[in-house]
Amino acid sequence: MYDLIGKAAGQERLHRMLAKLLGAVPEEWLLGLMHGIGFGLYVLAGKKGRGHIERNMRDVLGMDDARHVRRLGREYFINLAVTLYEILIDVHRLPRLHAAGRLERRFEAEGERLLADALRLGRGAIVYTPHMGNFFYAYWYLTQKYDCLAVVTAQSPELRPIYLKFQAIGCRGLDYDETPPLQMIRKLRNHLAAGGVVFLLGDFYRPAFPEATMFGRPTRSPDGAASFGIEQHAPIVPLYTVRKRPFRHRLVFETPVLLHERFAKHERRAATNELNRFLESAIRAAPSHWFYWFNAEERWNADDERLSAQEREARN
């Protein structure tokens, strides 16, 4: 998957040219083209490639309807194609849309007042989201309305051109792999204390992360959101993004979570698991929009038997 993204991302001059050429093409036509490309990717993935993704969907979500899972697999590849078009080509139109006061052409925000309510507490806010829909666009939207800072992983050669593209249009971020941990904590703490918004992708996975549970399975999850929520009393505002036709994004903000009212400092793992339950519900709401189906199996600790098969089945 990263190879595909890397090949598509490394042609900036071509992207700008295509943005100009396709600017006058009706969006419905473009959407049809992207759907065709997405279906082509589905076919080219072969039985092994698409079967792997569909197997992960069945395994994690407990789905038995083979036809439904195949449909979700096709939708996954179509969403990937449309998202690549947006973040590589359509992205060049975003600043013009904003300058013209036409953000509603791309974004429909539901419950955004909940973020405003959280910020009125005076402790900043953490917007907590999975890699769903076009999460790059969701962050760009937030940067146009709030003092927003993200934690990103920009060292991947495949993804770096995309991060640089969004950085050029105002999306600020701290690189998780490049920023020393204490420096990152200090910057995020100061940003929240100043009333800023921090954008965190909670389903990011690394084997070195603390132990947690997701979809009833042992895994590893970042616990930064839990730490800031408990120790700094920063409200956490869950957000997920789903695509609406054509090229329109629905951002769904949910009720702020005040972790410090329910968890003590030594209960970061329990707090992280609570946040992971939001990630689960968001992914279940729109399974084909979650990016990580292509390697979801890597995040489960198969040798950890602390959760029985019965417990996993009950959670699913």
Side-chain angles (χ1 to χ4, degrees), residues 18-38:
L18 288 174
K20 292 179 180 178
L21 290 174
L22 298 176
V25 177
E27 288 185 341
E28 289 289 355
W29 294 10
L30 284 173
L31 186 64
L33 175 62
M34 294 304 113
H35 274 224
I37 292 174

Side-chain angles (χ1 to χ4, degrees), residues 162-175:
I162 299 173
Y163 285 115
L164 293 177
K165 192 185 295 269
F166 277 81
Q167 184 183 68
I169 59 172
C171 294
R172 295 181 299 132
L174 296 174
D175 191 327

